[in-house]
Amino acid sequence: MTAGGVFELTDVPSGSLPRLDLGPPSRVIDLKVIRVSHDNLTVALSWTAVGDDFDQGGPAAFTDLRFSRNFTELADDFEASSVVDDSQVLLGDLTSPSPPGTMETVVIRVPERGENVTYVFVLRVCDASGNCGQPSNVAAANLEYIPEPTTAAPTTTPLSQPNNANNNTLIIAVSVSCGVVAVVVAILTALVVKRCCKRKKRLSVAPAPDGIALENGQPKNDPLPKT
C-alpha cells in the first residue's frame, strides 16, 4: 500500500464562493395585443412579469421583444427576427422589468400600416447572468385601416305648422254662417210678432154677438136710436 500524494490549492478567493445563477426566468404565456392605432402606427402589448429565477426572486434584467410580418419565421427562428429597440418604445420600459406577478404594458411604433399589414410579436425575459426564458406565445396586430362604426342620428319629423290662410278662411265662414242664422232668426221672430199683433187687433174690434155680455161689465151692443 502506498501513501497518496499531497496537492495544494492556490488563488482561492477568501470568503464564500459566489452563488451561481443557473435558473432562467419563466416563459411568458399571456402576451397579448390590447390596442392598435392605425393613425399613429402604434401597438400596445401587455403580459404578466416573471421572476429572475423562473417565477421567483426579484425582477428580471430585461425583456427581449421581437416582431415580424411572418408568423412562421418568428415562431421557428426567434433569433433571426427583428428586435424592438428603445427608439420604438413610446410607453413602458423593456430594460427594467416589473416585479413578478405584476402586469407590464408597452406601446411601440411599427414601421408600416395599410391593407394586409399584420405584425406578430414574441418576447422572452432574461436575467443579469444572461439566462433567458423560452419565447412566449405569439400575439398579432392588424394595421389595416378599419373605419369606426357610425351611428346615424335619429330623424325627427317636424310638426306641421298651422296654415294661417286656412284658419282665417274657416273663421270667416263660421262668422258668416252665424250672421246668416242670426238674420233668419230675427226675420222669423219679426214675422211671428207681426202676425200675433194683427190677430190681436182683429179680436179687439170684432162686435160681440147679440145677447152675449162683454167682458168687464160692458153693455151689449144695442143699435143706436134713430133721430
Side-chain angles (χ1 to χ4, degrees), residues 17 72 84 89 111 135 157 175 222:
L17 294 175
T72 304
V84 175
V89 179
T157 303
S175 300
D222 292 331

Side-chain angles (χ1 to χ4, degrees), residues 157-162:
T157 303
L159 298 175
S160 57
Q161 298 296 327

Side-chain angles (χ1 to χ4, degrees), residues 88-134:
Q88 292 177 261
V89 179
L90 304 180
L91 178 67
D93 189 357
L94 297 177
T95 61
S96 180
S98 301
T102 59
M103 207 64 168
E104 295 206 72
T105 301
V106 295
V107 177
I108 63 172
R109 187 184 299 276
V110 292
E112 299 180 63
R113 63 184 173 187
E115 187 175 359
N116 298 323
V117 175
T118 299
Y119 288 98
V120 287
F121 303 90
V122 172
L123 63 79
R124 65 180 180 179
V125 182
C126 303
D127 61 21
S129 300
N131 302 315
C132 295
Q134 293 297 315

Side-chain angles (χ1 to χ4, degrees), residues 64-85:
D64 184 6
L65 178 60
R66 308 289 181 108
F67 71 101
S68 175
R69 293 281 303 276
N70 189 305
F71 175 89
T72 304
E73 173 187 300
L74 184 60
D76 293 346
D77 193 354
F78 180 87
E79 297 288 348
S81 303
S82 300
V83 179
V84 175
D85 57 36

